Amino acid sequence: MANYWNKEIECMSREDMKKLQDERLVAQVKHVYENVPYYKNLMDEKGVTPDDIKSTDDLHKLPFLTKADLREAYPYGLLAKPLSDCVRIQSTSGTTGKRVVAFYTQNDIDLWEDCCARAIVAVGGTKDDVCQVCYGYGLFTGGPGLNGGSHKVGCLTLPMSSGNTERQIQFMTDLGSTILCCTPSYAAYIGETLHDMGYTTDDIKLKAGIFGAEPWTEEMRRSIEKSLGIKAYDIYGLTETSGPGVSFECEEQTGMHINEDHFYPEIINPETGEVLPDGEVGELVFTSLTKEAFPLIRYRTRDLCVLTRKQCSCGRTLIKMSKPMGRSDDMLIIRGVNVFPSQIETVLIEQGYTPNYLIEVDRVNNTDTLDINVEMTNEQFSDTIKDVQAKEKELAGAMKTMLGINPKIHLVSPKTITRSEGKAVRVIDKRKLHD
Ligand code: DLL
């Protein structure tokens, strides 16, 4: 039977939810218009005032907010509360450009942790669980978010952060962790290390994993479930919206329920900005409904997904989003063909390889090249060149069928591809370096 952290909200009727969202949206728009000159200017430019926004049906009248706006307004330009009311910042890893810095009042932190608590309860978490949090702590939102949620649920919380994998396994076996929270790539690595250390799933008590912060495929889910002997659940969020817990998977494991009492979702055509109906793939846009310090109005996430209101067997009425199919800026265009790294991962796992791979894209003599380095397991490894070449050819054929273009496959020795402890780097696009 499904467990809920907040049944009243999670199973609310559509009419009541719409009423709640309408009320909250009106207040949120007023809040940003009055307190954030940056938003006021954007709205003035579009000729909209808070009076024009009477319900979520009017949302389309409001301007979008993009990452470029966040950069322009960095660091304080979108702050909607006096700094003296803020108690925390979190930030993105910021590999390119300026970081995103998000601010929180105490109330923002409470609501964020509540969203994470919903996610933990949805996978069966209770106060009797031991929750091992191996997302990074610090500026990254993963550790602090799940840590807070775990406290709220009353789990015994292990604030491990990422890394030191053998120690992770020692704690897991000694303290009998039942829930694991980390990125899916790190979960795969933890599973691999567990077996390398001579343990089996009988030596651990894990039952569920809450994995997110990066794209992962259904094939990867099954591979982690097998290696750790658990059910693996997805969780989504971004620094801009507070962090993890914008949406979470329930026992049905068919997409993530959005905490839509706090985050109102829209799907738009990324080229035209037009709002698309449920069921169509497009860019996910969020409007925060309750945030105080760092509210977001129509924030373009760049994540591509589909929304559905199909009745869920868990009883939740919260709208569901599909796994993000990649970010609009993750998509590789290789010789004119759109390629998502997730398609490559799907083929690899289907063909019996592990999710240890690295994609390299380059441009040689004006032609794009796609090289996929794939690690062999000990069983797959062979020192006969002919065997390896035959395997490479077979895998290249399967890739061609999925992608429509021919990659060059390089099968490499076991344990030679760097493992990820946080967000995995799967793609090196050298074309960007030449440009
Ligand atoms: O990754 C927050 C988070 C922490 C989510 C822990 C889940 C668990 P950022 O570092 O700002 O925040 O990155 C946000 O990561 O726009 C997506 O592209 C991607 N992402 C997050 N969750 C998922 C997921 C955190 N479940 C960006 N599946 C987002 C696919 C995800 N991509």
Side-chain angles (χ1 to χ4, degrees), residues 10 37 52 79 103 124 136 138 182 189 226 230 238 242 258 268-269 282 284 289 301 330 364 368-369 402 405 413 427:
E10 294 175 60
D52 298 317
L79 197 59
F103 297 84
C182 60
Y189 182 26
K226 190 159 163 246
I230 58 169
L238 48 160
S242 285
I258 298 176
I268 63 161
N269 175 327
L284 188 56
L289 299 175
T301 63
D330 255 4
V364 180
D368 294 335
T369 57
M402 170 67 106
I405 55 167
S413 308
V427 182

Side-chain angles (χ1 to χ4, degrees), residues 128-146:
D128 297 325
D129 278 293
V130 179
C131 183
Q132 182 162 347
V133 184
C134 336
Y135 285 111
Y137 279 64
L139 287 171
F140 180 54
T141 55
L146 269 309

Side-chain angles (χ1 to χ4, degrees), residues 128-132 156 158 168-179 203-207:
D128 297 325
D129 278 293
V130 179
C131 183
Q132 182 162 347
L156 175 67
L158 276 49
Q168 301 278 4
I169 287 163
Q170 192 189 338
F171 273 91
M172 186 179 284
T173 47
D174 292 353
L175 293 175
S177 308
T178 52
I179 298 176
D203 298 309
I204 54 172
K205 296 217 173 89
L206 276 190
K207 59 179 186 187

Side-chain angles (χ1 to χ4, degrees), residues 67 91-93 135 140-143 146 182-183 210-216 234-240 243-245 256 301-303 323-324 326-327 330 423:
K67 192 118 175 180
S91 179
T92 54
S93 43
Y135 285 111
F140 180 54
T141 55
L146 269 309
C182 60
T183 59
I210 304 180
F211 306 135
E214 63 183 6
W216 54 309
D234 208 348
I235 184 166
Y236 169 89
L238 48 160
T239 312
E240 295 89 314
M256 295 175 271
T301 63
R302 295 179 294 169
D303 291 319
K323 252 182 191 311
R327 294 170 74 94
D330 255 4
K423 290 184 192 245

Side-chain angles (χ1 to χ4, degrees), residues 88-374:
R88 171 100 67 85
I89 68 148
Q90 302 285 163
S91 179
T92 54
S93 43
T95 41
T96 51
K98 275 185 193 152
R99 289 167 173 275
V100 170
V101 175
F103 297 84
Y104 305 71
T105 61
Q106 185 55 51
N107 190 48
D108 290 332
I109 299 264
D110 276 344
L111 297 185
W112 173 31
E113 292 180 351
D114 241 54
C115 289
C116 291
R118 288 183 196 176
I120 293 171
V121 173
V123 310
T126 69
K127 63 187 275 301
D128 297 325
D129 278 293
V130 179
C131 183
Q132 182 162 347
V133 184
C134 336
Y135 285 111
Y137 279 64
L139 287 171
F140 180 54
T141 55
L146 269 309
N147 192 92
S150 173
H151 271 224
K152 284 216 168 187
V153 177
C155 305
L156 175 67
T157 309
L158 276 49
M160 303 294 297
S161 199
S162 59
N164 207 337
T165 309
E166 295 198 356
R167 188 181 65 186
Q168 301 278 4
I169 287 163
Q170 192 189 338
F171 273 91
M172 186 179 284
T173 47
D174 292 353
L175 293 175
S177 308
T178 52
I179 298 176
L180 176 67
C181 305
C182 60
T183 59
S185 53
Y186 194 37
Y189 182 26
I190 291 177
E192 182 185 357
T193 311
L194 179 86
H195 295 283
D196 286 351
M197 286 169 75
Y199 291 111
T200 71
T201 52
D202 291 341
D203 298 309
I204 54 172
K205 296 217 173 89
L206 276 190
K207 59 179 186 187
I210 304 180
F211 306 135
E214 63 183 6
W216 54 309
T217 56
E218 285 301 325
E219 290 72 21
M220 177 89 157
R221 186 204 304 263
R222 282 192 286 277
S223 152
I224 298 171
E225 288 189 331
K226 190 159 163 246
S227 131
L228 287 170
I230 58 169
K231 287 256 177 216
Y233 299 90
D234 208 348
I235 184 166
Y236 169 89
L238 48 160
T239 312
E240 295 89 314
T241 57
S242 285
V246 168
S247 61
F248 59 94
E249 247 178 3
C250 64
E251 61 198 23
E252 213 187 70
Q253 293 179 300
T254 53
M256 295 175 271
H257 288 286
I258 298 176
N259 283 315
E260 53 175 323
D261 52 327
H262 298 301
F263 303 100
Y264 188 89
E266 295 172 280
I267 291 286
I268 63 161
N269 175 327
E271 255 94 63
T272 62
E274 175 206 359
V275 179
L276 299 175
D278 291 351
E280 288 196 24
V281 183
E283 180 179 344
L284 188 56
V285 171
F286 279 114
T287 297
S288 65
L289 299 175
T290 48
K291 278 172 50 146
E292 293 180 341
F294 196 67
L296 292 176
I297 304 291
R298 302 197 87 199
Y299 181 65
R300 294 185 58 159
T301 63
R302 295 179 294 169
D303 291 319
L304 300 173
C305 73
V306 177
L307 295 179
T308 163
R309 287 178 199 277
K310 204 168 136 264
Q311 179 67 44
C312 185
S313 61
C314 75
R316 285 179 184 76
T317 49
L318 297 174
I319 192 170
K320 270 162 113 170
M321 61 180 267
S322 66
K323 252 182 191 311
M325 295 154 187
R327 294 170 74 94
S328 40
D329 48 3
D330 255 4
M331 189 179 76
L332 299 162
I333 304 183
I334 301 169
R335 286 172 239 145
V337 178
N338 298 347
V339 173
F340 282 100
S342 58
Q343 295 174 301
I344 294 175
E345 184 174 293
T346 297
V347 175
L348 285 180
I349 301 181
E350 268 174 9
Q351 298 291 316
Y353 292 90
T354 59
N356 298 311
Y357 61 96
L358 183 68
I359 301 165
E360 287 180 271
V361 186
D362 204 350
R363 186 167 292 145
V364 180
N365 298 332
N366 290 322
T367 306
D368 294 335
T369 57
L370 170 62
D371 289 71
I372 310 175
N373 303 294
V374 182

